Amino acid sequence: MIRLGAGPLDRIVAVGAHCDDIAIGAGGTLLTMCTARPGLRVDALVLSGGGGEREQEELAALAAFCPGAELGVTVLKLPDGRMPVHWDEAKAAVEELRARTEPDLVLAPRTDDAHQDHRGLARLIPTAFRDHLVLGYEIVKWDGDLGRPNAYQPLTPETAEEKVRLLQEHYPSQRHRPWYDREAFLGLARIRGIECHARYAEAFAVTKLALKLGD
């Protein structure tokens, strides 16, 4: 297996359609990066959930998932499940984020995610972040849309367990969901770990990758 590093990571952008998307899809990766590189700048944008309990959950959760980071979080109030008809607002928010940051890495939903909000946001990202490495994270759901990822971030057992603990601690509004449990999160992480010769991992889809093998 070839491992290509992305070089120094100083600025990260993480985007989600809903509060908890970023933490579910890339929480272990954020923990790994922020722990290894104190002072990392993380700019997060979430399209829905603003102004209520969900926003407060998200602010506390992302602070916990990004220890030691310089963190900025914006949570908007677009209605859940209606992102396609709020395309202009979503695009404006993504473009505003792009105007104030030059990230080394973008964490976003997958372009083939079955949820229309996730998929719509994913398709917006390359219109603003044209020359950036974008990792499309996955979210387990009843749609059965998990595919064959092509990028992996191994997680230590301690990081995988911490991710699950933080998800349970910081999103009490989601605990009633039948898929929102330790078995689901660790089970997927274990499968992705097998695929990259690790105990646990988070997996991502990369649609375009520019190499600098001669540098």
Side-chain angles (χ1 to χ4, degrees):
M1 178 179 296
I2 299 174
R3 289 175 170 84
L4 298 176
L9 295 176
D10 296 315
R11 301 182 69 92
I12 306 298
V13 158
V15 298
H18 315 100
C19 296
D20 78 18
D21 284 357
I22 295 170
I24 291 173
T29 297
L30 286 172
L31 280 169
T32 299
M33 290 190 297
C34 292
T35 300
R37 196 172 184 84
L40 181 71
R41 174 69 191 183
V42 179
D43 289 293
L45 170 67
V46 182
L47 296 184
S48 65
E53 174 192 21
R54 295 284 278 144
E55 179 175 1
Q56 296 308 309
E57 289 181 344
E58 186 75 336
L59 295 175
L62 291 182
F65 275 103
C66 301
E70 181 185 346
L71 177 65
V73 182
T74 300
V75 183
L76 303 183
K77 299 180 180 180
L78 273 62
D80 187 353
R82 298 292 185 270
M83 188 266 178
V85 297
H86 291 270
W87 183 265
D88 288 345
E89 296 166 75
K91 184 172 177 60
V94 170
E95 290 178 343
E96 191 277 331
L97 175 61
R98 173 67 184 95
R100 57 185 169 84
T101 186
E102 183 62 55
D104 302 303
L105 173 66
V106 179
L107 300 170
R110 296 179 300 128
T111 55
D112 56 352
D113 193 296
H115 193 295
Q116 68 271 18
D117 292 353
H118 301 172
R119 187 172 61 251
L121 176 57
R123 292 175 177 174
L124 272 176
I125 293 303
T127 70
F129 295 93
R130 294 181 177 273
D131 299 310
H132 301 80
L133 175 60
V134 179
L135 297 182
Y137 57 73
E138 57 184 356
I139 297 178
V140 64
K141 62 179 80 66
W142 72 271
D143 304 82
D145 64 349
L146 297 179
R148 299 182 64 181
N150 50 19
Y152 297 84
Q153 171 58 52
L155 305 178
T156 65
E158 294 77 15
T159 298
E161 291 283 359
E162 180 69 356
K163 172 183 175 176
V164 173
R165 186 188 71 78
L166 293 176
L167 285 172
Q168 294 292 344
E169 175 183 347
H170 288 289
Y171 296 104
S173 67
Q174 304 304 297
R175 292 176 191 157
H176 68 283
R177 298 186 181 277
W179 55 268
Y180 196 92
D181 59 31
R182 182 177 184 276
E183 288 181 305
F185 297 133
L186 276 186
L188 179 58
R190 179 69 185 108
I191 291 171
R192 296 317 190 196
I194 291 170
E195 293 173 350
C196 68
H197 296 168
R199 182 65 185 175
Y200 297 105
E202 285 178 339
F204 303 90
V206 180
T207 55
K208 184 181 290 187
L209 175 65
L211 303 179
K212 295 183 179 180
L213 300 179
D215 291 357

